[in-house]
Amino acid sequence: MYTYVHGGDVYTASGKNNIVDYSANINPLGLPQSVKKAIVKSLNGCVDYPDPFCRRLSAKLAKFLAVPQDYIFFSNGAADVLFKLALALRPKKALLLAPTFADYEKALRSVDCDICYYLLQEAHGFEPQPDILKQLTADLDMVVICNPNNPTGKLIDKALLEQLIAKCKQLNIRILIDECFMDFVAEEKAYSMVPLLAANKQLVILKAFTKTYAMPGLRLGYCLTADEALVLRLHEVGQDWNVSTPAQEAGIAALDETAYVARAKALIAKERRYLTNVLQKCGAATYGSEANYIFFKMPQPLDLKEQLANKGFLIRSCANYHNLQGNYYRIAVKRHADNMRFAKALKEVHNALIDGDN
């Protein structure tokens, strides 16, 4: 039987009462009302095939990001874009960080790509160091960087990332930068590589509406690149109606929700501090996430995920990530009421462990 490795599996846990899902990193403010209304309004249009080029959505997003419209390729979620990129490019050898999002490897393996890893070190706070540049060699076809990284939430040093992009250009290596969580970073414009697209045709940036606008069930992701031949190829390797009409209309409405995103960022920054403090008081090591989730190490109890699930909270074990052991976890940042309940459950688990040792 196929094993699902991601967070957000509320269906398996649906038999439990009052489950709060901390395993998926979604905007804690929930789906905006304007997006809900756009979805409902779009239903009459579902008697027709959706626009295969997402023209209205692409035009609005291009203006929103200040990029040419022909840089944009939409698909059925960012993960779907990954698989289409693998199929369009068919790289023979790729470099990934470890740990990082599992679907990079899954997508690349689907086209028989050989994977090599740059191992992130706990001693360096799980941040890439300048020695990563030595792993950019002429035999590489592709490099994937998640920024901020999943599951760690850490940003790569901007100067180092710019050096990576420059060396990839020099060696004709495709570089994919996943910025799906960049919208939650306090100074996202200072770290986003979108302004470098025009001068670097080998650069591809992956983005999604999923996390930012709390709409994972709709599936809407995209990539940006100045390589028009690649955009054409992405259309050629998949079916034409890859974004539903409700998803397109939801995206159009979501782009107006700038105040909503600003509120979410402020809430996340405050609640991330609160949860980090709780984790540290319970003996966890944290690493300074810049995203809407917190990565931590908690050696005991070994069954932390199961104990919290029994108390009504799903968390993401990171045991299946390359270069991590079983005592690393990731939790989402939610509203304060949920976070207080989660903190209470975590303290109960921690206190029971201490009492058991006495």
Side-chain angles (χ1 to χ4, degrees):
M1 183 177 177
Y2 176 75
T3 301
Y4 179 82
V5 300
H6 304 288
D9 186 11
V10 296
Y11 308 99
T12 298
S14 61
K16 299 183 175 67
N17 293 324
N18 299 318
I19 281 289
V20 182
D21 185 14
Y22 274 78
S23 69
N25 315 310
I26 308 302
N27 189 322
L29 295 183
L31 193 64
Q33 286 300 316
S34 66
V35 176
K36 291 182 182 180
K37 290 177 182 177
I39 294 166
V40 172
K41 188 176 179 181
S42 75
L43 296 180
N44 288 336
C46 289
V47 296
D48 298 314
Y49 281 101
D51 180 357
F53 300 107
C54 303
R55 275 165 278 220
R56 291 176 55 239
L57 176 56
S58 290
K60 191 164 186 177
L61 181 65
K63 185 176 181 180
F64 183 83
L65 295 176
V67 299
Q69 192 170 341
D70 54 12
Y71 281 19
I72 304 170
F73 173 78
F74 277 102
S75 201
N76 184 36
D80 192 55
V81 177
L82 284 174
F83 281 84
K84 285 190 170 77
L85 282 167
L87 192 57
L89 295 168
R90 291 194 172 274
K92 297 186 182 300
K93 186 176 181 181
L95 174 66
L96 303 180
L97 304 182
T100 198
F101 181 51
D103 272 12
Y104 306 142
E105 180 169 345
K106 184 179 179 183
L108 292 167
R109 296 281 188 205
S110 74
V111 294
D112 298 320
C113 181
D114 182 31
I115 308 291
C116 55
Y117 303 94
Y118 175 81
L119 302 181
L120 297 169
Q121 303 297 321
E122 184 173 10
H124 295 301
F126 292 99
E127 295 180 42
Q129 301 299 300
D131 62 348
I132 191 175
L133 294 166
K134 297 177 182 177
Q135 289 193 236
L136 299 187
T137 52
D139 61 334
L140 272 182
D141 299 301
M142 192 172 190
V143 177
V144 182
I145 303 288
C146 188
N147 196 40
N149 192 27
N150 177 7
T152 66
K154 300 302 289 287
L155 287 162
I156 185 171
D157 177 78
K158 183 179 181 181
L160 178 57
L161 184 53
E162 290 173 343
Q163 287 179 284
L164 281 166
I165 293 170
K167 190 166 183 181
C168 284
K169 182 176 184 179
Q170 176 190 348
L171 296 175
N172 196 31
I173 300 169
R174 187 76 60 173
I175 179 166
L176 172 64
I177 301 177
D178 182 344
E179 294 190 359
C180 283
F181 292 102
M182 187 63 75
D183 292 334
F184 298 112
V185 173
E187 301 293 336
E188 78 275 14
K189 290 184 179 179
Y191 290 96
S192 175
M193 293 294 109
V194 170
L196 299 189
L197 284 165
N200 297 276
K201 281 199 170 186
Q202 88 290 354
L203 173 61
V204 182
I205 294 177
L206 184 68
K207 296 274 288 179
F209 284 70
T210 301
K211 320 294 186 186
T212 308
Y213 303 102
M215 45 191 276
L218 281 171
R219 313 308 304 137
L220 182 60
Y222 60 97
C223 68
L224 305 167
T225 180
D227 186 347
E228 295 178 16
L230 175 57
V231 174
L232 174 61
R233 183 65 181 146
L234 286 167
H235 281 287
E236 291 174 342
V237 298
Q239 54 104 359
D240 284 328
W241 305 288
N242 57 343
V243 180
S244 71
T245 297
Q248 291 186 40
E249 293 302 320
I252 291 167
L255 290 173
D256 289 328
E257 290 288 346
T258 53
Y260 157 92
V261 173
R263 288 197 309 273
K265 286 174 69 170
L267 171 67
I268 288 163
K270 181 179 179 181
E271 293 301 317
R272 190 172 58 214
R273 289 192 296 270
Y274 170 77
L275 284 172
T276 298
N277 185 51
V278 169
L279 286 164
Q280 291 172 347
K281 286 183 176 179
C282 289
T286 60
Y287 302 93
S289 171
E290 300 286 345
N292 62 327
Y293 49 90
I294 301 169
F295 174 66
F296 65 97
K297 181 181 182 180
M298 196 164 181
Q300 295 292 336
L302 295 176
D303 62 344
L304 177 65
K305 178 182 175 182
E306 289 72 23
Q307 287 202 44
L308 287 173
N310 289 335
K311 292 179 179 294
F313 298 92
L314 300 183
I315 69 170
R316 176 70 158 93
S317 168
C318 296
N320 67 309
Y321 280 88
H322 192 87
N323 193 33
L324 289 179
Q325 288 72 48
N327 54 351
Y328 289 93
Y329 305 91
R330 188 195 69 201
I331 59 168
V333 177
K334 292 187 172 292
R335 292 176 184 261
H336 192 61
D338 285 330
N339 293 336
M340 286 194 300
R341 290 177 53 212
F342 176 83
K344 181 176 181 291
L346 183 65
K347 288 172 184 176
E348 288 172 354
V349 172
H350 177 63
N351 291 338
L353 181 68
I354 293 174
D355 292 342
D357 289 340
N358 292 334

